[in-house]
């Protein structure tokens, strides 16, 4: 059963959104035990218990002896900390400058521009493009009810374009349109039916359906996933930004998760969205976010109707020296982002608008589910990373360019501390593991406390998930870096056709694995050299070897 409920936006405000009665607090409460664990992890008692753990570890660590014997490893960790945490602190400071100084001015200017346009009439028409595939009926009803409610609030009129696969969805959507909008609302409904060939095709068909409606260049298109619930005032909150700056091509918003799964999924997703809010705000200061999330992004209609843009989203590819022409299956949001980045458009982040996303983990077990999601997320990022870097810092901005470059660097630096401790702990003294544990407990908790700037509550389990994301996520990134052909949707079973023989596919996979393992070995060797566990050959040694060979 569905009803309108208030959903806390985490910043003191609320948005009205239709949700299931068991999810009015931002999560699926069907699991009572899981809900209790999530609530408990945010209490003062949970954080005091974490503090007690830190004190206990600090008490049993022989820090003085370790420092005297292995100061090199600790200095190395300290250098990495200054670099990585300094970069994180920069994002944190930029995020606050954007949200509390720059964006309020942008908001006031955008609202004033929207009021001025309304006073003379001619508000822009808004198109809502929603793509749905194999999403349960309750979620589909929530999503389209929210879309129709938001469409009714668009003063310039609205058209809802549903790009779907199944007839059951079509019947449900038409029924909701009749019940919510009626005949006099002015909200049009356009349905496009395609085969289940993937989201890229669904988007392309939807874009072309919008083009056939002959939109004006300054009309807007909100591209929405079939599991994303938008606020009723989405149009009024976003339209003004397109009026104040002709260079703005698209924008995206903050997100909250409505998770169907165990407590660990609730905590993990809430952490990811809290970190996302800070990073998006930081990059928003440069007017260039790093992704136009497929959950909800709004574009100028002139961009969506551009044939080159549609082609980029529908049939994007990468020419790779080993894989040849690699057609993109996932990552449509990265394709649209790269097109706008390449063509010099600004992409804004709107932190005071919240979209609720229904999260269905691909597995009931945490590690397989997290792995599958990371493979998709990081693969999309790395497949677009190289060509974005090739645009150059003078074209896309130095901070944006360096942030894109850091996506490659961070997957190795996040593993450097682990490699140092493993080498020292295994080959020198096991007390290194205790010192490292203390380091992790303290630094990741400080990172958790910084998230209070992004969300009103944080979980005492966040430090463990932060470390998991950094280390295990880096391992997945290094794997994907050498296996860019690994693509798969978490819901769709669509795969790329491969005409290669079994021998060719085996050779390609063997080469990818060899490069991956070789790179990891080189990385560990480099860390061992820095720690002094491997002697660095002197120039005289090479000279003696050369002379010996000459005498032979």
């Amino acid at each position: 059963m569905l009803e309108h409920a208030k959903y806390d936006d985490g910043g003191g405000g609320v948005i009205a959104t239709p949700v299931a009665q068991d999810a009015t607090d931002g999560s699926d409460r069907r699991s009572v035990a899981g809900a209790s664990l999530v609530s408990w992890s945010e209490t003062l008692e949970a954080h005091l218990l974490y503090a007690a753990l830190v004190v206990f570890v600090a008490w049993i660590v022989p820090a003085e002896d370790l420092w005297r014997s292995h100061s090199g490893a600790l200095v190395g960790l300290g250098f990495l900390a200054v670099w990585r945490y300094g970069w994180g602190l920069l994002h944190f400071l930029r995020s606050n400058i954007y949200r509390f100084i720059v964006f309020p001015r942008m908001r006031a200017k955008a609202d004033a521009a929207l009021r001025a346009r309304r006073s003379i009439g001619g508000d822009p028409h808004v198109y809502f493009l929603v793509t749905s595939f194999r999403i349960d009926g309750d979620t589909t009803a929530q999503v389209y009810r929210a879309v129709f409610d938001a469409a009714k609030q668009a003063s310039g009129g609205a058209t809802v374009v549903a790009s779907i696969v199944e007839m059951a969805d079509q019947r449900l959507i038409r029924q909701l349109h009749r019940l919510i909008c009626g005949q006099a609302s002015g909200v049009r409904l356009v349905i496009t039916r395609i085969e289940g060939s993937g989201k890229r095709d669904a988007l392309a068909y939807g874009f072309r359906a919008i083009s056939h409606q002959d939109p004006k260049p300054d009309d807007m298109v909100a591209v929405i996933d079939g599991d994303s619930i938008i606020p009723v005032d989405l149009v009024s909150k976003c339209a003004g930004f397109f009026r104040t700056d002709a260079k703005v091509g698209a924008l995206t918003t903050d997100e909250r998760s409505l998770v169907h799964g165990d407590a660990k999924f609730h905590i993990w997703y809430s952490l990811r969205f809290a970190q996302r809010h800070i990073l998006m705000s930081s990059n928003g200061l440069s007017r260039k976010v790093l992704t136009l999330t497929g959950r909800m992004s709004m574009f100028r209609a002139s961009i969506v109707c551009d044939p080159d843009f549609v082609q980029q989203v529908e049939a994007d590819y990468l020419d790779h020296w080993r894989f040849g022409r690699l057609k993109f299956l996932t990552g449509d949001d990265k394709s649209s982002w790269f097109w706008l980045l390449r063509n010099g458009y600004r992409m804004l982040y709107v932190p005071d608008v919240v979209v609720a996303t229904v999260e269905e983990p691909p597995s009931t077990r945490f590690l397989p589910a997290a792995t599958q999601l990371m493979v998709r997320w990081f693969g999309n990022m790395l497949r677009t990373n190289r060509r974005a870097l090739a645009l150059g810092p003078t074209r896309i901005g130095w901070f944006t360019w360096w942030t894109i470059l850091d996506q490659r660097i961070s997957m190795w630096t996040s593993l450097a501390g682990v490699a140092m401790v493993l080498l020292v702990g295994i080959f020198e003294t096991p007390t290194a593991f205790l010192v490292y544990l203390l380091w992790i407990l303290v630094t990741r908790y400080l990172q958790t406390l910084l998230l209070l700037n992004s969300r009103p509550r944080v979980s005492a389990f966040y430090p463990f998930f932060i470390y998991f994301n950094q280390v295990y996520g880096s391992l997945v990134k290094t794997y994907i870096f050498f296996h860019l052909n690994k693509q798969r949707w978490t819901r769709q079973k669509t795969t790329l056709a491969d005409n290669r023989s079994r021998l060719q596919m085996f050779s390609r996979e063997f080469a990818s694995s060899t490069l991956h393992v070789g790179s990891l070995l080189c990385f560990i060797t480099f860390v061992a050299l820095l720690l002094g566990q491997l002697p660095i050959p002197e120039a005289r040694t090479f000279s003696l070897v050369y002379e010996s060979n000459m005498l032979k």
Side-chain angles (χ1 to χ4, degrees):
M1 181 177 179
L2 303 178
E3 63 174 11
H4 273 285
K6 296 296 185 181
Y7 180 73
D8 184 2
D9 72 356
V14 294
I15 58 175
T17 178
V19 298
Q21 286 185 342
D22 63 352
T24 55
D25 62 347
S27 61
D28 183 354
R29 296 305 192 192
R30 288 177 294 185
S31 173
V32 177
S36 300
L37 182 59
V38 173
S39 300
W40 176 85
S41 71
E42 298 172 349
T43 63
L44 178 61
E45 290 83 354
H47 288 271
L48 289 176
L49 186 60
Y50 185 94
L53 175 63
V54 174
V55 172
F56 173 75
V57 174
W59 179 64
I60 64 175
V61 168
E64 297 82 3
D65 294 340
L66 188 66
W67 171 257
R68 284 196 296 267
S69 303
H70 308 286
S71 58
L74 297 179
V75 168
L77 283 174
F79 174 77
L80 284 175
V82 170
W83 180 13
R84 296 311 313 170
Y85 297 146
W87 181 239
L89 183 61
L90 178 61
H91 275 300
F92 180 79
L93 294 175
R94 284 173 56 91
S95 169
N96 281 272
I97 292 172
Y98 180 71
R99 285 184 288 134
F100 299 115
I101 300 176
V102 175
F103 181 77
R105 299 172 184 170
M106 295 171 58
R107 165 59 68 199
K109 189 176 179 181
D111 290 346
L114 192 61
R115 288 193 299 269
R117 174 156 183 169
R118 284 177 176 172
S119 65
I120 61 175
D123 283 353
H125 192 83
V126 182
Y127 296 85
F128 296 86
L129 171 57
V130 188
T131 57
S132 300
F133 180 69
R134 289 185 179 173
I135 297 174
D136 65 272
D138 286 344
T139 300
T140 299
Q142 295 176 49
V143 169
Y144 279 93
R145 182 171 182 174
V147 168
F148 289 136
D149 284 338
K152 289 168 61 178
Q153 299 297 318
S155 56
T159 299
V160 176
V161 180
S163 186
I164 58 177
V165 175
E166 294 153 339
M167 178 60 72
D169 286 342
Q170 179 173 322
R171 289 193 292 266
L172 175 60
I173 294 166
R174 288 195 183 279
Q175 182 181 12
L176 288 170
H177 180 249
R178 287 193 300 269
L179 291 173
I180 298 172
C181 300
Q183 298 296 325
S185 65
V187 177
R188 293 179 291 176
L189 174 62
V190 177
I191 293 181
T192 63
R193 291 273 310 279
I194 69 167
E195 297 180 357
S197 53
K199 186 182 175 183
R200 288 182 178 271
D201 288 342
L203 288 172
Y205 275 84
F207 292 154
R208 294 188 181 105
I210 293 173
S211 298
H212 293 157
Q213 303 295 316
D214 195 24
K216 296 178 182 178
D218 59 347
D219 287 345
M220 296 171 298
V221 179
V223 180
I224 305 165
D225 262 0
D227 53 7
S228 301
I229 305 170
I230 62 174
V232 68
D233 58 352
L234 177 70
V235 176
S236 62
K237 284 285 191 178
C238 297
F241 294 102
F242 293 96
R243 295 292 302 162
T244 57
D245 189 350
K247 294 293 291 181
V248 173
L251 58 81
T252 191
T253 68
D254 192 11
E255 295 180 4
R256 298 294 191 278
S257 59
L258 308 174
V259 184
H260 294 176
D262 294 338
K264 51 185 173 290
F265 289 108
H266 291 251
I267 298 170
W268 188 56
Y269 274 105
S270 65
L271 169 64
R272 287 189 58 84
F273 283 125
Q275 293 175 318
R276 174 187 182 276
H277 188 51
I278 290 178
L279 292 177
M280 280 287 202
S281 298
S282 172
N283 287 285
L285 188 60
S286 301
R287 311 299 194 274
K288 285 186 175 65
V289 295
L290 292 189
T291 184
L292 290 171
T293 176
R295 295 304 181 88
M296 202 303 295
S297 293
M298 189 174 286
F299 299 81
R300 289 187 184 274
S302 57
I303 292 175
V304 165
C305 296
D306 189 315
D308 185 57
F309 175 83
V310 177
Q311 178 67 18
Q312 177 96 56
V313 174
E314 183 179 28
D316 202 2
Y317 63 88
L318 172 69
D319 287 324
H320 191 270
W321 67 278
R322 281 194 306 112
F323 298 114
R325 175 151 295 186
L326 188 62
K327 184 180 178 181
F328 289 177
L329 177 63
T330 63
D332 52 274
D333 51 349
K334 282 293 187 179
S335 297
S336 57
W337 168 80
F338 178 72
W339 191 93
L340 271 76
L341 187 71
R342 184 184 61 198
N343 286 278
Y345 284 98
R346 291 176 178 171
M347 294 168 278
L348 304 183
Y349 180 61
V350 184
D352 62 351
V353 176
V354 183
V355 173
T357 65
V358 180
E359 304 291 347
E360 291 279 358
S363 173
T364 56
R365 294 178 297 165
F366 179 76
L367 187 61
T371 302
Q372 190 172 344
L373 290 168
M374 285 180 175
V375 167
R376 179 164 64 87
W377 294 336
F378 300 150
N380 296 338
M381 178 264 289
L382 290 171
R383 279 185 286 273
T384 307
N385 182 278
R386 186 182 68 175
R387 59 182 183 178
L389 284 174
L391 295 176
T394 56
R395 186 171 176 181
I396 65 177
W398 281 95
F399 184 83
T400 301
W401 185 85
W402 178 259
T403 305
I404 295 171
L405 177 63
D406 186 66
Q407 291 175 336
R408 291 191 172 205
I409 299 174
S410 62
M411 64 184 179
W412 296 104
T413 56
S414 296
L415 296 176
V418 180
M420 286 182 181
V421 171
L422 285 175
L423 290 173
V424 174
I426 293 174
F427 296 106
E428 299 183 35
T429 173
T431 55
F433 295 118
L434 285 176
V435 173
Y436 185 62
L437 175 61
L438 179 63
W439 170 264
I440 294 302
L441 290 173
V442 172
T443 56
R444 272 49 175 188
Y445 190 69
L446 291 176
Q447 289 180 326
T448 295
L449 294 180
L450 289 179
L451 293 177
L452 286 170
N453 181 259
S454 171
R455 296 293 189 260
R457 297 176 298 276
V458 294
S459 169
F461 289 114
Y462 275 5
F464 304 104
F465 283 99
I466 289 175
Y467 184 72
F468 169 79
N469 287 340
Q470 290 171 341
V471 175
Y472 188 72
S474 293
L475 290 173
V476 174
K477 286 178 185 177
T478 60
Y479 172 82
I480 291 298
F481 185 78
F482 297 99
H483 298 80
L484 291 176
N485 59 314
K486 299 292 184 181
Q487 302 180 68
R488 185 182 178 185
W489 287 103
T490 50
R491 182 177 291 115
Q492 298 174 201
K493 303 304 181 183
T494 309
T495 57
L496 291 175
D498 198 332
N499 297 322
R500 294 176 176 84
S501 66
R502 289 187 177 181
L503 179 59
Q504 290 174 321
M505 288 190 291
F506 173 80
S507 299
R508 186 179 65 181
E509 291 303 308
F510 179 78
S512 297
S513 299
T514 301
L515 288 171
H516 183 208
V517 173
S519 297
L520 288 174
L521 291 175
C522 289
F523 171 74
I524 294 173
T525 301
F526 177 73
V527 172
L529 287 171
L530 289 180
L531 292 174
Q533 293 185 333
L534 290 177
I536 301 177
E538 299 179 357
R540 176 174 175 78
T541 302
F542 289 107
S543 176
L544 291 174
V545 172
Y546 175 77
E547 292 175 0
S548 175
N549 289 333
M550 290 296 294
L551 290 175
K552 291 180 180 179

